[in-house]
Amino acid sequence: MARIINKDTTVCMSLSARPGNFGTRFHNYLYEQLDLNYLYKAFTTNNLKDAIYGIKALAIRGCAISMPYKEACIEFIDELDDSVKSIQSVNTIVNTDHHLKAYNTDYIAVAKLIEENHIDNNTPFVLKGSGGMANAVIGAFYDAGFKNGIIAARNQTKGEALAKRYGYAWVKNEQDIAPEQAKLIINVTPIGMLGGAEANDLAFPQSMIENADIVFDVVALPVETPMIKLAKSLNKIIISGADVAVIQALEQFVLYTGVTPSKELVKQAGDFARQG
């Protein structure tokens, strides 16, 4: 049965400088399969303040927030969830009776993956990157009790600031890190991303991937980046960006609708979202 948009349709949205299709396809697929009177649409803006206030004024139920608005939107929010308080980065806004509450479902997703993969918090790790997603990832590891970490980032200002916030070390080049300090390696850069300038590159040197026990790449497309492919061939424990993308989108879906889809339906929605 085809869904018909009407005056009672609940609208959700995303806000990004460069809107993509993953969230739009994921959410709308589930709305259709579950026969929910919801609609999801991606937007960008040149006026963040009015865009956020518009969410409240127009009774938009939920909004996914992407770069470069993750930190800047906080001043316009009524309430911060614990997932935002520690990292000061937002990727989800929920509007309940014109009260805006901010969450970070990337943080929630990474925290769940740490738990599901039974990663010992004594494991020394290296995280490569210093952007908004790096903040969510490093915050989740910090709150899970990981003490022995290194931030590898070419941007010294952002890299040092991120490391200092959580009490980790900073290096400019990951190749300067001793093998025993990198049993868990985490890529939070666009290296390996489909369509990017470095789509065919390894995010870490091959020797570091060979030495690591656990390899985590937040790049969601392709599902298997060059680093993930190599780690898989070496029988490493793998966490992929596809895992993060689906879990965080599911967390948003539940926050917006109050409905928890079946695991099979979530898998179908993730597969459908990656095709567009």
Side-chain angles (χ1 to χ4, degrees), residues 111-132:
K112 285 190 172 187
L113 287 166
I114 291 170
E115 183 177 356
E116 289 174 4
N117 287 276
H118 307 290
I119 305 176
D120 188 338
N121 60 14
N122 291 312
T123 305
F125 72 87
V126 176
L127 180 142
K128 182 174 181 176
S130 59

Side-chain angles (χ1 to χ4, degrees), residues 27-44:
H27 287 269
N28 283 320
Y29 181 90
L30 290 177
Y31 298 157
E32 183 172 357
Q33 295 300 313
L34 293 168
D35 195 24
L36 299 176
N37 192 9
Y38 277 69
L39 172 71
Y40 190 105
K41 174 73 172 67
F43 292 91
T44 189

Side-chain angles (χ1 to χ4, degrees), residues 129-131 150-165 168-171:
S130 59
I150 300 173
I151 308 297
R154 297 174 186 173
N155 186 319
Q156 182 172 351
T157 301
K158 293 177 70 175
E160 282 189 327
L162 186 61
K164 183 178 181 181
R165 179 183 299 173
Y168 296 130
W170 167 82
V171 297

Side-chain angles (χ1 to χ4, degrees), residues 61 134 158 187 237 241:
R61 172 56 177 162
K158 293 177 70 175
N187 174 47
I237 296 172

